[in-house]
Amino acid sequence: MDKLLIEGGIPLEGSVRISGAKNAALPAMAAALLTSDRVELTNVPHVRDIITMGKLLAHMGAIVETPELPPTSMTIQAEQVNGAEAPYELVRTMRASILTLGPLVARTGSARVSLPGGCAIGARPVDLHLKALEQMGAEIGTSHGYVEARVPGGGRLRGGNVFFDKITVTGTENVLMAAALAEGETTIGNAAQEPEITDLADLLIKMGADIEGAGTSTIRVSGKEQLYGATHRVIPDRIEAGTFLVAGAITNGSLELTYCEPEHLRSIIAKLRDTGVEIRETAPGTLSVRGARKLIAADVRTEEYPGFATDMQAQFMALATQAKGTSVITETIFENRFLHASEMIRMGANISIEGRRAVVHGPTELSGTGVIASDLRASASLVLAGLVAKGETLIDRVYHIDRGYERIEEKLSSVGARIRRVQ
Ligand code: UD1
């Protein structure tokens, strides 16, 4: 199994190109199931989850092609959907497989998708996805670990009033895709407002869908009988960009990030500025970050967009270990998302966990050791901790990081980090 070996203490200097957003590319790929035409996506990141989603779509009969190497563009044509089934072997490695449920049931009238099961960062149920699809006329049952959805009589889903009790990103995406091909109007209330939702809506509109209000808490969709092929450029990855902003800041370096979308990073940039980090937009789509000689503690509370992203909480914690004072980090989205804290404590951090709050006292000198990555963003935070730690940090289970970061060790090496992949 691959590991990452990092020798810390080097300020990062140079320029990093930010990849396309995994969490926008995944629903865009699933949306290709809604049409028999070809959907072409560009700026697709070459990460494990995208490969898994490609395999899943191919399993369902779609032709998935990646013409370049490394692939940043991809064409998907689901001329026919044969097996409307997402098997456990593929779903278990990637929860986002649930994104095929809405398009499948809307296109074929039936779908069988394995339940994602537990996840390191919390229970992460899909009850809200299922309830919403039921409100649109699907009959849903679960047996043998699978969700089975069908439209009675083999007809189309019908539009309806869907109101989410709790804001859910992939739940909103599933309903948005299903509604695009349903009969009549759908209103999605308490919808997620993440940029990835707006990006999906933009693609669906290019495919012929009628959608208003994406990016707000109420989305209206007027269903169409048919959708068509389209070409779409996936938005930049705001979490990868945020991670590199912290990498520049934590090493007291000076980095330039290109091909990013500063607008999507507003709450992250604001919070990093609170800690004394200097961030400037030097050109459209380009950010420069300069570490502060003395970082100052700041409290953070994760929230749905446009609040501070839960996917940046672990990386912020790494930074907080280097800031002077006490930082209180409150996680409101997932119930068990502090698994990285115990590894940082082993590296010398002073962190105590009280329920959903982590209290970080800094600055503390970190020292390298062997650590284990527990999930995607936790592994990114351990890389960041390793970049400032004294000596060598060896991160195990880096398959987590490969799920969502494109060539992270290459990108970091190119700006001076001493990091390499070892077996
Ligand atoms: C998406 C992102 C993930 C990010 C998360 C929150 C993708 C592929 N993944 O995950 O990176 O961390 O948003 O920004 O885009 N919930 C329920 N019932 C449901 C659905 C969700 O109780 O049916 C709960 C979850 O357990 C969690 C909260 O709602 O506590 C938010 O989860 P959700 O927005 O659905 O996260 P994902 O869409 O899975």
Side-chain angles (χ1 to χ4, degrees):
M1 215 183 288
D2 286 4
K3 297 183 172 120
L4 284 177
L5 183 65
I6 305 170
E7 199 188 312
I10 297 161
L12 303 186
E13 309 265 345
S15 181
V16 176
R17 184 189 170 120
I18 298 304
S19 300
K22 164 185 88 77
N23 284 356
L26 289 171
M29 291 173 75
L33 289 171
L34 291 165
T35 175
S36 55
D37 293 349
R38 231 154 76 108
V39 172
E40 185 181 351
L41 301 173
T42 61
N43 204 30
V44 177
H46 187 47
V47 296
R48 178 67 43 196
D49 275 7
I50 296 295
I51 296 168
T52 305
M53 184 61 99
K55 282 188 188 160
L56 193 55
L57 299 182
H59 175 84
M60 292 164 181
I63 296 170
V64 182
E65 287 174 329
T66 47
E68 324 153 30
L69 270 177
T72 56
S73 73
M74 174 179 274
T75 60
I76 303 166
Q77 186 161 18
E79 200 165 356
Q80 273 163 6
V81 178
N82 312 321
E85 176 173 315
Y88 181 64
E89 304 79 71
L90 291 172
V91 174
R92 75 186 169 89
T93 60
M94 187 186 66
R95 238 187 84 80
S97 310
I98 195 73
L99 283 168
T100 56
L101 183 66
L104 280 179
V105 73
R107 169 100 180 261
T108 70
S110 74
R112 192 165 180 267
V113 176
S114 171
L115 281 165
C119 174
I121 62 173
R124 299 185 86 174
V126 291
D127 55 318
L128 301 173
H129 300 230
L130 305 188
K131 188 175 160 202
L133 290 172
E134 268 175 348
Q135 285 169 333
M136 297 176 71
E139 276 179 0
I140 297 194
T142 50
S143 68
H144 306 289
Y146 278 76
V147 177
E148 288 172 347
R150 53 183 287 278
V151 185
R156 287 164 68 195
L157 286 170
R158 52 165 202 273
N161 262 325
V162 170
F163 187 90
F164 284 113
D165 291 342
K166 188 171 185 182
I167 297 175
T168 159
V169 177
T170 49
T172 302
E173 290 164 350
N174 240 334
V175 173
L176 191 56
M177 291 186 279
L181 214 52
E183 212 171 332
E185 308 258 330
T186 301
T187 305
I188 311 175
N190 204 23
Q193 302 178 38
E194 269 66 6
E196 292 75 21
I197 304 280
T198 315
D199 196 46
L200 173 63
D202 287 347
L203 166 63
L204 292 170
I205 291 167
K206 288 181 197 165
M207 292 169 69
D210 186 348
I211 299 170
E212 272 174 33
T216 73
S217 63
T218 307
I219 307 178
R220 287 189 186 78
V221 187
S222 179
K224 298 282 182 185
E225 219 166 303
Q226 206 181 342
L227 294 175
Y228 306 93
T231 298
H232 182 70
R233 183 178 169 82
V234 173
I235 54 170
D237 196 316
R238 62 196 167 100
I239 306 301
E240 188 199 21
T243 304
F244 276 97
L245 286 178
V246 175
I250 204 169
T251 61
N252 197 12
S254 170
L255 285 183
E256 179 190 67
L257 311 187
T258 59
Y259 292 88
C260 57
E261 178 47 87
E263 184 59 30
H264 297 165
L265 283 151
R266 273 165 68 172
S267 60
I268 295 166
I269 291 173
K271 190 49 69 182
L272 293 179
R273 283 183 177 148
D274 286 350
T275 68
V277 176
E278 198 186 300
I279 299 174
R280 283 184 306 130
E281 189 175 345
T282 47
T286 304
L287 285 172
S288 79
V289 56
R290 220 174 243 286
R293 208 166 302 138
K294 283 205 168 61
L295 291 164
I296 315 148
D299 295 343
V300 78
R301 188 184 161 83
T302 62
E303 274 163 16
E304 291 89 1
Y305 191 84
F308 189 91
T310 173
D311 284 351
M312 276 301 296
Q313 179 258 105
Q315 299 89 316
F316 186 81
M317 190 182 288
L319 188 73
T321 67
Q322 302 307 301
K324 187 172 165 48
T326 302
S327 304
V328 178
I329 301 175
T330 310
E331 172 58 59
T332 73
I333 309 291
F334 293 110
E335 70 269 29
N336 189 23
R337 206 175 195 180
F338 287 138
L339 298 169
H340 42 279
S342 51
E343 297 301 283
M344 288 182 198
I345 292 168
R346 292 185 50 252
M347 295 174 75
N350 182 346
I351 305 169
S352 54
I353 306 290
E354 300 159 4
R356 291 197 165 208
R357 291 195 324 168
V359 181
V360 187
H361 297 285
T364 46
E365 191 175 85
L366 301 183
S367 57
T369 184
V371 290
I372 295 181
S374 53
D375 65 68
L376 170 56
R377 306 305 170 184
S379 42
S381 75
L382 295 177
V383 169
L384 295 169
L387 289 174
V388 273
K390 259 210 152 99
E392 287 188 343
T393 301
L394 186 63
I395 306 180
D396 200 354
R397 303 203 185 152
V398 295
Y399 55 82
H400 286 296
I401 209 160
D402 294 333
R403 283 188 40 216
Y405 286 87
E406 184 169 69
R407 300 178 290 110
I408 191 162
E409 72 274 26
E410 279 178 43
K411 288 191 183 189
L412 284 170
S413 309
S414 74
V415 289
R418 292 210 186 113
I419 177 170
R420 66 193 161 91
R421 191 172 283 258
V422 292
Q423 293 288 317

